[in-house]
Amino acid sequence: GLGYYSFVLGAWHVVVLTSSVPVGPGSAQAAWLRGDLESARSQCTLAAWHHPRYSSGRHGNDDQMRPLWRLLYEGGADVVLSGHDHDYERFAPQDADGGLDVERGVRQFVVGTGGAVPTPFAGVAANSEARVSGTLGVLKLTLSTTGYAWEFLTAPEGAPADAGAARCH
């Protein structure tokens, strides 16, 4: 009932958070996340919430998510999924302050392409690696025991517009 929880999916620890309640360092959600990450035993971690920490979309970066991103970064998380902006964007692995960190950083995907009218990008945020606007689509993630692969498929064609793979930390 709190809007945040976690579960294990194969080799992955999946954390679902909410960007619509307090997320600051002293918040109940941050305390819960800290404990959840400390007790997690999975090699790979994926987190998801609505408002993106980083975005080239019209809403831009959401600085309020910095404390939770910092906890995920320090806890060795690999991937963050978010939406809110009505576009697709993939970021290089980053720390909580937007610094590129290919060794320990968290890769974020913004996928707001599920039905609302697509919107154009407002610019290009730092460390943005791929951007697709003006179309609906889905992100296909394939999670393995040591990494993940992604493929953004546009609708209705199902044509791949972005694809790649990476290993977990």
Side-chain angles (χ1 to χ4, degrees):
L2 298 173
Y4 45 91
Y5 56 93
S6 70
F7 58 93
V8 174
L9 179 65
W12 284 77
H13 177 219
V14 178
V15 180
V16 178
L17 302 169
T18 179
S19 53
S20 299
V21 301
V23 297
S27 69
Q29 185 172 205
W32 174 85
L33 178 59
R34 186 176 301 106
D36 182 71
L37 292 170
E38 288 172 357
S39 65
R41 299 293 170 242
S42 301
Q43 177 180 346
C44 305
T45 299
L46 179 147
W49 64 78
H50 184 73
H51 299 93
R53 170 69 184 100
Y54 305 104
S55 177
S56 298
R58 69 181 180 141
H59 294 105
N61 294 347
D62 190 336
D63 289 335
Q64 79 161 351
M65 297 309 292
R66 184 187 317 248
L68 298 186
W69 191 284
R70 188 171 314 284
L71 291 171
L72 290 163
Y73 176 79
E74 291 169 356
D78 301 284
V79 176
V80 164
L81 301 176
S82 60
H84 196 54
D85 278 317
H86 298 169
D87 52 46
Y88 167 81
E89 187 167 21
R90 174 176 47 85
F91 284 86
Q94 301 179 86
D95 63 24
D97 299 317
L100 180 65
D101 185 344
V102 296
E103 296 297 320
R104 295 187 53 233
V106 183
R107 180 182 306 281
Q108 179 186 261
F109 294 90
V110 178
V111 189
T113 56
V117 175
T119 55
F121 290 101
V124 179
N127 301 313
S128 176
E129 292 184 318
R131 292 166 305 287
V132 178
S133 66
T135 187
L136 301 177
V138 296
L139 176 64
K140 177 184 174 184
L141 282 177
T142 303
L143 307 177
S144 70
T145 57
T146 59
Y148 58 100
W150 66 88
E151 191 172 21
F152 179 70
L153 305 170
T154 61
E157 307 84 23
D162 182 42
R167 297 184 61 78
C168 294
H169 299 93

